[in-house]
Amino acid sequence: MHEPDHETVLQRQQIFGYTHEDLRILLAPMARTGQEPVGSMGTDTSLAVLSSRPRLLYDYFKQLFAQVTNPPLDAIREELVTSMESTVARAEPV
């Protein structure tokens, strides 16, 4: 296994876009507890093109999708709380 180069850690973190917030809120708790952090699925960051701070190249090509559940809901296994039922009927005149 490749031995990490501790002298270039800061440089590599900057290259891959890690912030102090990422290190403090996400990575440090993961290192302490060995569990993934719990957080929101959405993002409230400004678009890269409108940001005054330097951004990574791929941030300029990010698409915004509707929020989805992860893992996706499975109507068969979760039939008590979900329904795949739909009604098809003739429209009545108003």
Side-chain angles (χ1 to χ4, degrees):
M1 189 167 164
H2 177 53
E3 186 68 27
D5 181 12
H6 296 288
E7 283 80 39
T8 62
V9 166
L10 180 60
Q11 179 187 12
R12 287 181 285 137
Q13 287 173 343
Q14 290 172 339
I15 289 170
F16 288 103
Y18 285 97
T19 63
H20 289 290
E21 185 177 67
D22 292 331
L23 298 175
R24 184 174 44 85
I25 295 176
L26 298 174
L27 296 175
M30 286 174 54
R32 275 195 302 274
T33 65
Q35 296 178 343
E36 290 188 46
V38 177
S40 171
M41 288 178 58
T43 179
D44 60 353
T45 57
S46 62
L47 295 174
V49 72
L50 301 176
S51 178
S52 60
R53 301 182 69 192
R55 302 289 290 270
L56 296 173
L57 180 62
Y58 63 80
D59 285 343
Y60 291 90
F61 300 99
K62 189 185 302 184
Q63 292 184 11
L64 300 177
F65 291 99
Q67 289 185 343
V68 295
T69 59
N70 190 12
L73 287 175
D74 183 350
I76 295 170
R77 288 186 292 149
E78 300 177 16
E79 63 184 330
L80 293 175
V81 294
T82 61
S83 173
M84 292 295 293
E85 189 176 308
S86 61
T87 304
V88 179
R90 184 171 55 111
E92 296 294 325
V94 180

